[in-house]
Amino acid sequence: MNHRALLVATIAAYLAGLVVVGWLVRRRQSTFRDYVTGGGRIPGWMLAISFLANYVSSNSFVGHASKSYEVGLGWLGVGAVMVACATIAWWVFAPRFARFAIRTGATTLPDFFDHLWGRRASRVVAAIVIAGTLLFVLAVLEGTSIVLAEGLAISKGLALAVAFGVAVVYAAFGGFWADVSTDVVQGVVLMAGAVALFAGVLFASGGTPAPGHVHPVPVAVVLAAGLGGGLKMLSDPKQVMVFYAFRDEASARRFRFLGPLLLLVVYASLLPVGYLARRIVALAPGAKIETLVPNLAMSGTVLPDWFAPIFLVALLAASMSSLDSALLIMASCAEKHFVAPALRREPSPRRTRVILALLAVVAALLDVDPPDGIIPRTTLAGALVGASLLPSVAAGLFELRVGPRAVLASISAGATGSIFGYLASKKLAIWGGGKLLESPWCQDVLVGLACATAALAAGAWLGSRRPRARG
């Protein structure tokens, strides 16, 4: 069997296995809650691994792993920020979200806002979740298509159709149970792939300092990239769905070490790869930085031939585990907070499956090559969802007295600030005078978080000063 045939056979077997898993668990989805959170019957250790698999996507393997080729080992700071956020998520947020879901029967992140601040807030949050998650899906699709096209020598369109088609099929069939069941396998595979990639590049480079000059980025850029992903672990609907699925609060606390530890292993392995690769490959002038790691793994000249199937399966594991949960999040939010209320019916697993397929088609049609790379698109998605919602989520979990108006103002300010910061960081004109905001601290996630926090604090203060109606 030649090299390409081995790759094709390995990927075909892996993708077929995902579809089979989705088909086998489809009968466990009798209600909407079963379909989107597993009905509280999924073991805690499986949810901890699913947390890792949901978070680590092709963006990590293709974008973050390559970035240190340009900027050096300072990019490890991105991983440090993400692991710190994961630790906070598991030790502080997870038990509270689990308790909330048990008490209220919540199944989506907008349910949290609905319960505390009303339907209007929940619908605004649902719209932001769908939009931000769609941006994330587009970034994952770009990374996945690059690797599949390079590895299998096929067109980007075909690579996209195969990978996305399989994710849609098994996610639609099996819902959250299929998501978590495949995440367990995919989490182990992607972690093994990350460690193997690091070991292979370290051995090939001799572990010696890389030649040439790197171009370190400002601390603000590192912080923004880390928070762009890290904040999503605190308020991202994919991770909240995992926390909702725990049987009880004690189960969430029992596995609070596992999630951050697994994430530390993966990012400690991936982030130095680009820097180490400077000694063994030279990126062609004008080449996209995202092609570095796929070419490194697939060429057979630097790493052994047997590594290519391992890397490709690890990349697919990272991509599929992120795509399926993202599609499920968008579909469940659309069904529960827009479609079902419009039809005046209870949320339905069947309609959710249809919506999931329709959203997948929309994402595939919208997929375009991002001019500024995968990482900025991922960071903007994290800013829209994480930065704009986190202050309100924290206020709700810690039972602070905040009114609906303050929450809506915070969400709006956070989303607006995120977009403003994104445009400013790209050095685009913000107003008619053409003035540019070039500060390294003017990053989407930092501006969005600052605006959302300030608006929430101001709204809460103004609300506390209003005279109360006399009875």
Side-chain angles (χ1 to χ4, degrees):
M1 183 179 291
N2 61 40
H3 181 66
R4 185 172 184 275
L6 176 62
L7 287 175
V8 172
T10 302
I11 296 306
Y14 174 73
L15 295 178
L18 295 181
V19 174
V20 169
V21 170
W23 179 259
L24 291 177
V25 302
R26 73 192 189 283
R27 294 185 178 179
R28 298 182 181 182
Q29 327 299 325
S30 57
T31 67
F32 180 79
R33 182 168 180 264
D34 292 338
Y35 186 69
V36 299
T37 64
R41 301 192 303 272
I42 302 177
W45 65 270
M46 291 179 66
L47 293 170
I49 298 177
S50 179
F51 177 91
L52 169 76
N54 280 340
Y55 185 75
V56 178
S57 67
S58 59
N59 305 343
S60 301
F61 277 83
V62 178
H64 285 300
S66 301
K67 190 65 177 178
S68 58
Y69 183 95
E70 291 181 333
V71 304
L73 292 178
W75 201 246
L76 288 170
V78 173
V81 173
M82 291 180 179
V83 173
C85 289
T87 303
I88 295 172
W90 276 95
W91 283 73
V92 179
F93 282 47
R96 288 173 169 83
F97 271 124
R99 182 170 66 241
F100 176 82
I102 293 167
R103 188 176 74 246
T104 65
T107 54
T108 67
L109 178 60
D111 282 344
F112 180 82
F113 286 80
D114 192 1
H115 181 79
L116 295 176
W117 298 296
R119 176 165 292 186
R120 184 181 177 188
S122 70
R123 287 188 171 179
V124 171
V125 170
I128 289 179
V129 165
I130 293 171
T133 305
L134 181 59
L135 270 179
F136 174 76
V137 167
L138 295 179
V140 173
L141 287 176
E142 174 67 14
T144 306
S145 61
I146 287 174
V147 175
L148 283 179
E150 292 281 346
L152 301 180
I154 59 178
S155 68
K156 178 183 172 181
L158 179 58
L160 196 64
V162 171
F164 210 31
V166 171
V168 170
V169 169
Y170 81 81
F173 273 145
F176 193 65
W177 261 105
D179 182 6
V180 173
S181 299
T182 54
D183 279 353
V184 170
V185 177
Q186 292 171 156
V188 173
V189 169
L190 70 85
M191 187 162 60
V195 173
L197 178 63
F198 172 75
V201 175
L202 181 66
F203 178 79
S205 67
T208 55
H213 297 288
V214 296
H215 305 282
V217 293
V219 173
V221 175
V222 173
L223 182 62
L227 289 176
L231 292 184
K232 292 198 302 179
M233 283 183 275
L234 303 177
S235 58
D236 184 74
K238 296 193 300 297
Q239 309 305 352
V240 171
M241 183 169 62
V242 170
F243 299 151
Y244 278 173
F246 276 105
R247 184 177 295 109
D248 50 41
E249 185 178 348
S251 181
R253 294 184 184 279
R254 193 174 302 124
F255 294 97
R256 59 189 174 183
F257 292 98
L258 187 55
L261 179 61
L262 295 178
L263 193 67
L264 174 63
V265 171
V266 169
Y267 276 110
S269 300
L270 287 180
L271 296 185
V273 165
Y275 180 75
L276 294 172
R278 292 176 63 88
R279 178 162 288 279
I280 51 181
V281 295
L283 202 62
K288 294 182 64 174
I289 188 65
E290 289 89 357
T291 63
L292 172 67
V293 171
N295 287 334
L296 197 67
M298 301 295 180
S299 65
T301 57
V302 177
L303 300 175
D305 287 343
W306 56 262
F307 183 78
I310 295 177
F311 174 76
L312 206 53
V313 171
L315 186 280
L316 276 177
S319 299
M320 295 298 186
S321 58
S322 299
L323 283 175
D324 56 14
S325 58
L327 290 171
L328 186 59
I329 283 296
M330 289 192 294
S332 60
C333 284
E335 162 64 14
K336 186 166 188 179
H337 300 283
F338 295 110
V339 177
L343 297 175
R344 297 183 180 180
R345 295 185 179 182
E346 291 296 314
S348 160
R350 180 175 296 179
R351 284 197 306 271
T352 307
R353 291 185 175 98
V354 174
I355 294 170
L356 187 150
L358 292 175
L359 287 171
V361 172
V362 170
L365 293 175
L366 288 176
D367 183 56
V368 293
D369 188 12
D372 51 357
I374 292 173
I375 293 176
R377 183 183 280 184
T378 307
T379 305
L380 177 59
L384 283 174
V385 177
S388 63
L389 302 184
L390 177 59
S392 298
V393 167
L397 287 177
F398 289 95
E399 300 180 357
L400 303 181
R401 295 184 61 181
V402 180
R405 291 183 179 179
V407 168
L408 286 170
S410 174
I411 295 170
S412 301
T416 303
S418 297
I419 296 171
F420 182 92
Y422 174 79
L423 296 176
S425 68
K426 302 302 127 191
K427 297 181 172 57
L428 300 177
I430 305 300
W431 49 76
K435 185 175 179 180
L436 303 178
L437 298 180
E438 298 184 359
S439 169
W441 290 95
C442 196
Q443 304 291 325
D444 45 18
V445 66
L446 301 181
V447 176
L449 182 61
C451 290
T453 304
L456 187 70
W461 181 76
L462 290 173
S464 67
R465 291 179 60 85
R466 287 196 185 98
R468 295 182 181 180
R470 295 181 179 180

